[in-house]
Amino acid sequence: GENVEQHPSTLSVQEGDSAVIKCTYSDSASNYFPWYKQELGKRPQLIIDIRSNVGEKKDQRIAVTLNKTAKHFSLHITETQPEDSAVYFCAASLGNNDMRFGAGTRLTVKP
Amino acid sequence: KAGVTQTPRYLIKTRGQQVTLSCSPISGHRSVSWYQQTPGQGLQFLFEYFSETQRNKGNFPGRFSGRQFSNSRSEMNVSTLELGDSALYLCASSRTGAGETQYFGPGTRLLVL
């Protein structure tokens, strides 16, 4: 099955700085890569996703890039704000209804 | 449209007991996936159901089982509970499952004493 590794496990940035979280996956057949944000005590919420036929996708301050050759994808958050503080999970799916998640990155944005 | 709901929200059991958790997907969603979330292991995939059939299963022992009803509501059951089963159990629904956005429920927090 798919194996997803996520780095770093914790990330602390100053408000206004950028944050980058990276994930690698093992199965080259994976074709769907969502990113979820989970605030303390809340359910994971999708913030952005990308499919294997696209190299980059952007939504305001959030962007995701995908390198299929290297089998890695990254989340980029620019102009970070304290409300961006949360745990972020990447995931990869083979499109066979089996979604595998990374271990999560705890992002702290210091005011 | 109402979101994914899970019941109960909190549960305390003792070792050896069994437990059943329920998940109601978003209306029109036919795929329901279950995950176990623990601080050290992140989100671990348990299984996925579509049209009352289990399509995929993660690496969990046979004590973890599930089912889906004709209205797409799903239940998961854990028998012979162990201390290590203490976790937040999340379900997520999507229309058909295959590479689609999953919407998570609030989770059921299970504590095994």
Side-chain angles (χ1 to χ4, degrees):
Chain A
E2 176 63 274
N3 183 45
V4 179
E5 294 192 359
Q6 184 173 345
H7 301 280
S9 57
T10 60
L11 180 60
S12 181
V13 300
Q14 229 23 73
E15 182 178 1
D17 287 350
S18 295
V20 180
I21 303 170
K22 298 181 179 180
C23 289
T24 60
Y25 59 99
S26 60
D27 197 321
S28 57
S30 292
N31 57 17
Y32 177 61
F33 308 91
W35 285 88
Y36 285 85
K37 175 184 179 181
Q38 188 176 28
E39 295 176 81
L40 190 62
K42 297 188 176 180
R43 70 190 77 187
Q45 300 263 15
L46 179 77
I47 55 172
I48 196 167
D49 57 11
I50 192 168
R51 298 189 183 275
S52 58
N53 58 348
V54 175
E56 183 173 359
K57 185 176 179 181
K58 191 172 181 180
D59 182 5
Q60 299 182 337
R61 296 186 297 109
I62 295 173
V64 57
T65 58
L66 171 64
N67 183 326
K68 287 191 294 183
T69 304
K71 290 189 283 188
H72 68 69
F73 56 112
S74 301
L75 177 72
H76 304 253
I77 306 175
T78 59
E79 300 171 25
T80 53
Q81 301 166 4
E83 50 265 40
D84 294 330
S85 296
V87 178
Y88 291 81
F89 293 96
C90 63
S93 172
L94 291 164
N96 64 349
N97 320 300
D98 183 347
M99 187 84 73
R100 301 296 171 128
F101 283 78
T105 296
R106 182 173 299 279
L107 173 65
T108 302
V109 180
K110 295 181 283 188
Chain B
K1 196 183 276 190
V4 180
T5 58
Q6 291 185 244
T7 57
R9 293 293 310 278
Y10 304 92
L11 208 46
I12 300 175
K13 292 285 187 179
T14 56
R15 279 180 300 174
Q17 287 187 309
Q18 66 95 27
V19 67
T20 299
L21 313 181
S22 180
C23 173
S24 292
I26 291 171
S27 177
H29 285 194
R30 295 166 64 190
S31 169
V32 175
S33 297
W34 288 89
Y35 298 88
Q36 181 193 66
Q37 185 174 31
T38 56
Q41 298 294 320
L43 280 156
Q44 301 289 313
F45 173 71
L46 281 155
F47 29 64
E48 187 262 355
Y49 285 87
F50 180 83
S51 291
E52 303 177 65
T53 301
Q54 185 183 92
R55 291 196 295 193
N56 272 298
K57 191 178 192 308
N59 298 323
F60 278 81
R63 299 186 297 106
F64 292 81
S65 63
R67 59 178 176 168
Q68 187 180 35
F69 302 93
S70 58
N71 62 357
S72 295
R73 188 177 70 86
S74 178
E75 290 181 346
M76 67 164 280
N77 183 278
V78 187
S79 62
T80 319
L81 284 166
E82 300 178 358
L83 296 180
D85 296 334
S86 295
L88 179 67
Y89 290 88
L90 292 159
C91 74
S93 77
S94 64
R95 284 190 305 113
T96 62
E100 290 188 334
T101 300
Q102 292 190 334
Y103 296 88
F104 281 87
T108 294
R109 188 165 296 282
L110 172 65
L111 177 62
V112 182
L113 302 175

